[in-house]
Amino acid sequence: MAVWDDLVGQDRVAAQLTAAARDADVLVTGAADASAAEPMASSKMTHAWLFTGPPGSGRSTAARAFAAALQCVSPDRALGGAPGCGFCDGCHTALVGTHADVEVVRTDMLTIGVKETRDLVRRAQLSPAGGRWQVIVMEDADRLTEGAGNVLLKAVEEPAPRTVWLLCTPSLEDVLPTIRSRCRLLTLRTPSVDAVADVLVRRDGIDPGLAASAARATQGHIGRARRLATDERARTRRATVLKLPLRVDDVGGCLKAAQELVDAAAEDAKQVAEEIDTKETEELRAALGAAAGTGGRLPRGTAGAMKDLQDRQKRRATRTQRDSLDLALTDLTAFYRDVLALQLGSEVALANTDVRDALERIASGSKPERTLRRIEAIRACRQALDSNVAPLLAVEAMTMALRAG
């Protein structure tokens, strides 16, 4: 299986990256052919790439596949084989995250700060251990703070000879203009519903009916479709969210629905904490030398490290709660989008066919103008959450706006 097989509906992007990996191979091996040994500036390969596209389009998947292709050491390469075989040691270790020269950066915090970025820049200055490329994949480049972005800019402006930066963001506007001007842009599109359903059946062994339903409900978002198809809790949570439009007939119903939505997001954060926080804490205590024979007390001078861990865990819980709320708001937006399609008599395929009765009830009881105002209220709630408004206040304001239409 080639490394590009996980890129759903992105044939053009895969072709561009394959061509760049071929040129990268020439730069590494120093081919004797003068026409092939062109400088990086004029080849299809460059030192910095920016992967953009809507959520679920496969930005990070494309970046990791490209990283694997750059490290591909398949014997077939000498015979003209395409880079990224998916089977060799270089491809395999890059994809599973154990390759010495591939650093994948993903954050479960709200932002990526200056300290973490400086550590990455220092890593990027090292020569590749395997003699090919030092590849830094930053899956959440949009979460860089302004200071962190300025630190990264210096590394992108003056790259090490064998270092490649692969930055992933939803849009161009999510990174500093000075950074994006120094990157080669690749724009991914949302894959079709049929393509997502096909990959769920073929790769994950999911029942075709369930795969089609999940792909349709998420409108081509690969990660969410897989979660919806494999996690019963995710399906239950979505079903609860889609009942909300029928529960905002009075003020009491609005406030209760808002509270339940926020509580569900908090429960998600709590579950993540239970799975990760305890393990992290115990590992740090052991590393700091909190021996069982001393009553588990930390050695003097180590309290600061424990406090830093607790602060990171709190920030992670905040992001988990916001991500859960944002997912619910995305489902809610899709519901009203279907309502609007019914009201306008559009032939566009509905995402939420499993709740068609509710869609038709809301559509027949209001006008398109009210539906648009409701979609705007959901968008305003998402913006409020991004601006650190208290989740309950933001969601209560939204549910009241949904009631008013």
Side-chain angles (χ1 to χ4, degrees):
M1 181 180 75
V3 297
W4 315 110
D5 288 354
D6 282 347
L7 268 180
V8 181
Q10 311 292 345
D11 294 343
R12 178 183 57 83
V13 169
Q16 288 179 270
L17 293 176
T18 299
R22 286 186 185 278
D23 279 8
D25 200 41
V26 171
L27 292 168
V28 169
T29 57
D33 185 354
S35 64
E38 56 188 351
M40 186 182 290
S42 60
S43 76
K44 295 182 177 65
M45 181 60 187
T46 189
H47 70 282
W49 297 75
L50 184 59
F51 295 78
T52 67
S57 57
R59 299 184 303 263
S60 58
T61 300
R64 288 195 302 269
F66 186 37
L70 291 175
Q71 308 294 2
C72 183
V73 292
S74 169
D76 293 341
R77 300 292 298 281
L79 303 175
C85 66
F87 297 103
C88 70
D89 184 66
C91 287
H92 177 71
T93 55
L95 291 175
V96 301
T98 59
H99 197 290
D101 295 327
V102 178
E103 180 76 8
V104 179
V105 182
R106 60 175 69 87
T107 182
D108 49 14
M109 305 300 174
L110 295 173
T111 59
I112 299 175
V114 171
K115 181 180 180 299
E116 302 97 303
T117 308
R118 281 179 177 156
D119 290 342
L120 277 180
V121 170
R122 282 193 288 269
R123 162 75 185 260
Q125 299 304 313
L126 299 175
S127 297
R132 297 185 67 80
W133 298 95
Q134 183 78 253
V135 185
I136 312 293
V137 180
M138 185 173 285
E139 293 188 357
D140 301 294
D142 53 306
R143 295 185 183 271
L144 287 164
T145 63
E146 184 175 356
N150 288 327
V151 171
L152 178 62
L153 174 61
K154 288 183 176 293
V156 174
E157 280 181 327
E158 303 172 2
R162 290 282 183 83
T163 294
V164 181
W165 290 89
L166 308 180
L167 311 179
C168 305
T169 69
S171 68
L172 278 174
E173 290 70 27
D174 290 318
V175 294
L176 294 175
T178 45
I179 290 179
R180 64 178 183 249
S181 67
R182 289 162 174 80
C183 297
R184 188 164 298 171
L185 175 64
L186 277 179
T187 302
L188 285 74
R189 62 180 184 179
T190 300
S192 69
V193 170
D194 290 341
V196 173
D198 175 69
V199 79
L200 291 179
V201 173
R202 176 170 44 84
R203 189 178 57 193
D204 300 303
I206 295 169
D207 175 76
L210 180 58
S213 175
R216 185 170 56 248
T218 57
Q219 290 296 285
H221 190 301
I222 303 169
R224 286 181 54 211
R226 181 175 294 110
R227 182 184 176 193
L228 201 59
T230 58
D231 188 347
E232 181 64 34
R233 283 189 314 176
R235 293 195 290 272
T236 301
R237 190 71 47 84
R238 173 177 170 272
T240 301
V241 170
L242 296 183
K243 291 177 183 176
L244 187 146
L246 301 176
R247 301 175 56 201
V248 293
D249 292 335
D250 55 63
V251 173
C254 292
L255 299 181
K256 184 177 180 181
Q259 185 68 64
E260 290 177 357
L261 207 58
V262 173
D263 287 347
E267 182 63 25
D268 278 349
K270 181 180 177 182
Q271 288 174 355
V272 171
E274 289 175 348
E275 294 171 1
I276 301 176
D277 289 4
T278 301
K279 180 181 177 182
E280 283 182 343
T281 301
E282 290 305 316
E283 288 177 348
L284 180 59
R285 287 177 65 85
L288 294 176
T294 61
R297 296 185 61 181
L298 289 169
R300 186 172 298 176
T302 60
M306 186 61 69
K307 179 70 165 55
D308 287 343
L309 175 62
Q310 291 169 349
D311 288 343
R312 288 199 304 272
Q313 290 172 342
K314 284 173 118 178
R315 292 195 298 271
R316 180 169 60 210
T318 299
R319 177 179 171 181
T320 302
Q321 183 177 12
R322 288 188 184 177
D323 286 350
S324 181
L325 274 176
D326 191 67
L327 181 58
L329 297 178
T330 299
D331 288 334
L332 206 53
T333 302
F335 179 94
Y336 283 110
R337 170 258 194 195
D338 286 350
V339 169
L340 187 63
L342 290 175
Q343 289 172 329
L344 298 177
S346 171
E347 295 182 359
V348 66
L350 300 182
N352 301 287
T353 55
D354 50 333
V355 292
R356 188 175 183 107
D357 289 346
L359 294 173
E360 292 178 345
R361 177 178 167 184
I362 299 295
S364 62
S366 64
K367 295 182 178 180
E369 306 88 83
R370 296 184 66 188
T371 302
L372 287 172
R373 286 196 292 269
R374 285 165 171 159
I375 293 174
E376 178 61 25
I378 300 170
R379 187 186 69 84
C381 181
R382 297 177 75 173
Q383 289 181 330
L385 292 171
D386 284 342
S387 302
N388 290 321
V389 173
L392 185 57
L393 289 177
V395 178
E396 283 179 346
M398 179 197 73
T399 55
M400 294 296 287
L402 294 180
R403 175 177 177 265

